[in-house]
Amino acid sequence: MTTYPVPVTDRRDRAHSDAPVRRRPPLTRLFLGEREDARWLRPAFWALLALTAVLYLWDLSVSGYANSFYAAAVQAGTKSWTAFFFGSLDSSNFITVDKPPASLWVMVLSARLFGFSSTSLLLPQALMAVGTVALVWGTVRRTLARLGSTTAGVGALLAGLVVAATPAAALMFRFDNPDALLVFLMTAGAYATVRALPRGSWRWLALAGVALGFAFLTKMLQGLLVLPAFGLVYLVAARTSWPRRIVGLLIAAGSLVVAAGWWVLAVALWPADARPYIGGSTNDTVLDLVFGYNGLGRIFGGSGNGGGGGAAGGTAGSSFGGAAGLDRLFSSEMGLEISWLLPAALIALVLGLVVVGRRRLADPARAGLVLWGGWLLVTGLVFSYMSGTIHPYYTVALTPAIAGLVGTGGALLWHARHRTTGRLGLAAMTGATAAWSWCLLNENPDWLPWLRWLVLAGGLLSAALIVIGSVPQLRRLVAVGVLVGTLCGLTGTTAYAVVTTTVGHSGSIPSVGPSGTSGGMGGMPGGTNGPGGSAAGTGDDSSDSSDSGTQGGPGGTPPSGADGGQPPAMPGGTTGDGTTGDGTSASGSGSGTSLPSDSSDGGSRTGGGMGGGASTSSALEELLRSTDTTWSAAVGGSQSAAQLELDTDTAVMAIGGWSSDPTPTLAEFQADVAAGRIGYYIASGTGGGTGGGMGGGSSTASAIAEWVAANYDATNVGGQTVYDLGAAG
């Protein structure tokens, strides 16, 4: 019977094991590993975590508030526990963001603990990167235990390093979109599933269900794309009877439903007039988000989703994912974010299964390959062919799977290096990585031009050494080739990940790479945009909050007025932390008093939403800060409202939400105005106004705009058209 080495099994019966005698004390084991481990293995793991922490935490505030949409929701959550629970965009709870609130909960707790700032906002995201690296390490190490502690440890270290060195991870684990928590929770589910295998533990499997349940509360159905792989692994590899496997899966399904459904049920039972409108829905329900806008609409299009770059006018730029097909993950911005080691991962999956071909069905190494391979294939195929909204940064969800396959498959092929399959597999992984890294680096030839040639030459030479090692007298060359090939293979992706952390990213569609890059992925299938993410223009920019907007600037820095994020401070403006850039301010009046007329902004700062060309003047900021109404102002679109909230630290009503939500109706808006709950109305797209988000274009928003214009006088404040709703109408 196949058994597990002591370091990686569940506790065994003392009568049948001398483990209590041989094992180190728990604290010593934590830092130094088991007695059988090489002395450097566990310290190397801690060094990897420390290196990841430094890379992801260093200069964390360079992106300011990053995506202003989620930053505003976090700010609102620090002021209202109701806003915290529902994920409201504003502290007065008019409308929620168009995602479940789990990722916001983590960031709000950090902001409440340390005070709301760029650093407290992004700190949990960076720490999740460290946690994801540790979980991938632990998962791979357990599945490779039969190969010996050193081989298992090296494979696990390689997998963890791949996670940290992936550009998509370097981007999203330093950004305030929900994807960081999503990836962490899915990886936690993978770890719990592997822990459940040795004894068929239903408890560990239930924990996996809980992790995926909260992944659902992070980004809905995307969090469940790994579910088929997890279920299949437990079904075929758990070391227990078939009836108990079925029972375990049923328990896990129940824990998933409870973990995912409690919040959905709470929202459904909460009186609609006592909670915010569910942003992104057409009928103010979470289930409409699940099966429509954030569910099937993402895959098949429609339900508020724009085209994913398919035949209906889509492009392969960074705003959407490019034309649907198997080459989508290798094209344009997607290729730069995730595909560096994707060829190697696919080779490792196929040849790894060949190597373990005759082992028993429950072999842990095979379980690891099925786990990571199922994750990669299901999620990758969905991303490749979905015709709804998709953006390149979604691919961060593939990072643990690619890392797990590279670490697991690489270790298996190394263990089988005495066989032709093992040697040729290692050579293929090394050579393919070198060639594809050259292609990716060649799309940005002005950035470190020597690097692509170093990677190509080193990788191909390493592959040749591995092949030459087939000669008995030259077997030592295999080890040299693998070592050099691994270093060269990781160089390209690591360099791109590191430089991504040095660039500030704002707006709704951040991209990877060095600042100042541009150009097209002309040599790549379906590509039109180059490293850095210069967006290809498209008239169909329908998207979710984290997915819409423009990303015109290289390296994730959008052009003035098109970001919806947090740009650097300008004279009279504010910094990413909300402080005044030059210490000056303009006086403004409160609701019901005369408005300052200031057609020249004296000092404005970019803001607004997707392609809005907006700016928030210091005069307008002071005007809104002086109000004492429930909402200081109303404006069309969530992105504009979010930027104003961050600038003024007040609640702003986002008419129409992000995706033309049918709220408020004209009658509801008129009632709020009559009750004195709204201070001002700011016209979108007028006089440099604050257009942003698709909400401003809804029929409801248009009716409100027409009513306001017909009943109130317009005044120009800092270049923006403002209506005082407290004045006589």
Side-chain angles (χ1 to χ4, degrees), residues 347 351 413 420-434 459-460 462-468 478 481-482:
I347 293 171
L351 296 184
L413 293 175
T420 301
T421 302
R423 291 191 299 273
L424 292 183
L426 292 170
M429 289 179 64
T430 301
T433 300
L460 295 182
S462 299
L465 291 176
I466 296 172
V467 174
I468 294 172
V478 175
V482 170

Side-chain angles (χ1 to χ4, degrees), residues 185-186 189 207-217 223-224 226-227 230 256 259-260:
L185 289 172
M186 291 191 301
L207 287 177
V210 171
L212 293 189
F214 277 91
F216 175 88
L217 292 183
L224 304 184
V226 297
L227 188 59
F230 293 3
L256 189 157

Side-chain angles (χ1 to χ4, degrees), residues 614-638:
S615 61
T616 303
S617 68
S618 55
L620 182 59
E621 290 180 13
E622 291 298 321
L623 180 67
L624 299 189
R625 290 192 187 110
S626 66
T627 63
D628 57 3
T629 51
T630 303
W631 293 280
S632 64
V635 64
S638 290

Side-chain angles (χ1 to χ4, degrees), residues 85-184:
F85 180 78
F86 289 105
S88 300
L89 180 67
D90 61 285
S91 57
S92 294
N93 295 294
F94 170 69
I95 195 169
T96 70
V97 299
D98 58 353
K99 295 288 185 298
S103 66
L104 298 176
W105 292 339
V106 180
M107 290 185 283
V108 169
L109 292 176
S110 173
R112 281 183 175 266
L113 182 62
F114 300 109
F116 179 68
S117 67
S118 172
T119 300
S120 65
L121 176 73
L122 300 177
L123 177 63
Q125 312 292 84
L127 294 179
M128 289 174 200
V130 180
T132 301
V133 169
L135 288 169
V136 169
W137 174 87
T139 306
V140 171
R141 177 173 169 268
R142 286 179 174 274
T143 59
L144 293 175
R146 290 185 69 255
L147 306 185
S149 63
T150 300
T151 301
V154 172
L157 287 172
L158 176 60
L161 183 57
V162 169
V163 172
T166 299
L171 178 68
M172 297 313 297
F173 282 108
R174 290 168 55 91
F175 207 72
D176 54 347
N177 279 17
D179 300 77
L181 180 61
L182 175 72
V183 173
F184 174 78

Side-chain angles (χ1 to χ4, degrees), residues 307-631:
T315 67
S318 65
S319 289
F320 292 97
L326 289 175
D327 60 351
R328 178 184 271 179
L329 295 178
F330 296 90
S331 303
S332 189
E333 176 71 14
M334 277 195 175
L336 289 171
E337 294 200 11
I338 199 62
S339 73
W340 297 83
L341 294 170
L342 185 53
L346 294 174
I347 293 171
L349 172 60
V350 174
L351 296 184
L353 290 174
V354 171
V355 169
V356 300
R358 294 189 176 182
R359 295 182 185 176
R360 58 179 299 176
L361 192 62
D363 180 74
R366 178 187 283 108
L369 291 173
V370 173
L371 176 80
W372 302 119
W375 180 334
L376 177 63
L377 293 178
V378 173
T379 306
L381 287 173
V382 170
F383 286 172
S384 295
Y385 286 100
M386 61 189 288
S387 56
T389 300
I390 181 172
H391 293 298
Y393 67 80
Y394 287 13
T395 58
V396 69
L398 298 173
T399 300
I402 292 175
L405 286 174
V406 170
T408 304
L412 283 169
L413 293 175
W414 167 257
H415 191 69
R417 63 190 181 280
H418 61 284
R419 295 161 50 185
T420 301
T421 302
R423 291 191 299 273
L424 292 183
L426 292 170
M429 289 179 64
T430 301
T433 300
W436 185 241
S437 295
W438 184 91
C439 292
L440 293 173
L441 292 170
N442 196 49
E443 295 302 323
N444 185 12
D446 295 331
W447 180 71
L448 301 181
W450 53 268
L451 184 62
R452 66 184 187 276
W453 296 108
L454 175 65
V455 170
L456 180 64
L460 295 182
L461 177 60
S462 299
L465 291 176
I466 296 172
V467 174
I468 294 172
S470 300
V471 179
Q473 294 81 0
L474 302 176
R475 288 285 173 84
R476 292 183 179 180
L477 292 180
V478 175
V480 176
V482 170
L483 178 60
V484 176
T486 301
L487 294 176
C488 291
L490 291 175
T491 297
T493 182
T494 302
Y496 230 75
V498 171
V499 75
T500 296
T501 67
T502 67
V503 177
H505 300 91
S506 61
S508 300
I509 313 174
S511 54
V512 298
S515 178
T517 62
S518 61
M521 301 288 286
M524 304 177 67
T528 61
N529 279 357
S534 178
T538 174
D540 186 8
D541 255 2
S542 301
S543 175
D544 67 314
S545 63
S546 61
D547 317 323
S548 297
T550 58
Q551 187 67 22
T557 304
S560 175
D563 60 287
Q566 197 70 22
M570 297 180 65
T574 61
T575 65
D577 289 333
T579 58
T580 303
D582 61 359
T584 63
S585 63
S587 61
S589 60
S591 178
T593 62
S594 60
L595 300 178
S597 179
D598 180 13
S599 59
S600 85
D601 177 15
S604 65
R605 159 173 93 60
T606 60
M610 37 187 245
S615 61
T616 303
S617 68
S618 55
L620 182 59
E621 290 180 13
E622 291 298 321
L623 180 67
L624 299 189
R625 290 192 187 110
S626 66
T627 63
D628 57 3
T629 51
T630 303
W631 293 280

Side-chain angles (χ1 to χ4, degrees), residues 284-305:
D284 196 19
T285 66
V286 177
L287 290 181
D288 185 63
L289 284 182
V290 175
F291 296 106
Y293 178 61
N294 280 332
L296 298 180
R298 297 277 162 166
I299 299 176
F300 301 110
S303 300
N305 283 272

